[in-house]
Amino acid sequence: LAQLLREGQDAGEFGIDDVGLAANTIGGMLSWVRLWYSPEGKRPASEIIAHLIHCVEKIVAPAGAPR
């Protein structure tokens, strides 16, 4: 993941201050979902997925993009 983010950063696609930290944050955020998500919970999987995508987009948003 860090390599992918670094490549995006080098290509000017992402605005990440610390690629390693961003990779750990994204990886941790996505991997922890399996521990707390329940299909019987108050939010459907589609809502959780949309929220996670939104969070990742904010982490990698190019400089000057709304965060």
Side-chain angles (χ1 to χ4, degrees), residues 4-58:
L4 177 66
L5 294 175
R6 193 170 291 107
E7 289 172 11
Q9 180 76 356
D10 292 345
E13 295 293 323
F14 302 146
I16 303 170
D17 294 327
D18 185 322
V19 170
L21 183 57
N24 287 339
T25 300
I26 294 168
M29 181 174 57
L30 297 177
S31 66
W32 273 88
V33 172
R34 69 178 180 82
L35 297 175
W36 57 260
Y37 173 74
S38 170
E40 293 80 33
K42 65 180 182 177
R43 292 187 168 92
S46 60
E47 184 179 339
I48 302 297
I49 292 166
H51 181 73
L52 290 171
I53 290 169
H54 178 75
C55 289
V56 170
E57 288 174 339
K58 287 187 170 284

